[in-house]
Amino acid sequence: MSEPTPAEILLDLRDVHLPEAPADARPAEFAAAPLALLAAGVAAAMLLRRWRGAQWRREARRELARIGRIAAAGERRDAAIALARRIGPRPGARAGPGRSADAGPPEALFLPPGRVGPAETAALLDRLRRAVGPRGSP
């Protein structure tokens, strides 16, 4: 048998080819959807943390409003002292401008109830209002 010629070899070959590319073939791109979901999750977690962190302020503002409606001086004094003890210095609170005067607990917390008069109670309530901040502050 004689050796086949190159032309005969080519005729004997079957069609060997790569599969056709799909019509919607695109290069591998960065998927933005997972990044957007991650960013939305982080933003939601940060907002939730901030909202929960300010919960004590909202509760203290409601309590201050309730104390403001109390007519009896002794009851108002006791409620103000209880609120001051409950909110106390906040963990992680930063000392900064305007806060140096409020360093340390109020004097009214250490006086016997008979020695805390209307002036001390008013000063304590004013200090609590400054500590809690105006409505709408974080």
Side-chain angles (χ1 to χ4, degrees):
M1 195 153 207
S2 71
E3 197 167 310
T5 64
E8 291 174 340
I9 293 175
L10 288 175
L11 287 175
D12 287 344
L13 287 178
R14 295 205 165 116
D15 290 332
V16 177
H17 64 280
L18 295 174
E20 293 183 26
D24 64 345
R26 288 178 258 165
E29 296 176 359
F30 177 75
L35 182 63
L37 287 173
L38 178 66
V42 167
M46 289 174 63
L47 286 172
L48 182 64
R49 183 171 187 252
R50 182 175 170 100
W51 182 79
R52 284 186 176 169
Q55 180 66 29
W56 72 271
R57 287 184 191 271
R58 289 189 294 275
E59 290 173 3
R61 284 187 197 113
R62 282 192 292 269
E63 183 69 12
L64 277 171
R66 188 189 70 78
I67 292 171
R69 292 189 300 268
I70 297 175
E75 190 178 338
R76 177 182 285 196
R77 176 198 64 226
D78 294 342
I81 289 173
L83 177 62
R85 286 186 177 149
R86 192 168 57 243
I87 66 174
R90 303 305 304 166
R94 288 178 250 127
R99 295 179 191 249
S100 59
D102 291 339
E107 184 180 339
L109 295 179
F110 302 110
L111 295 174
R115 296 220 22 229
V116 179
E120 289 85 4
T121 302
L124 176 59
L125 287 171
D126 183 51
R127 186 167 172 181
L128 288 172
R129 285 186 190 95
R130 281 183 306 191
V132 171
R135 187 178 182 101
S137 66

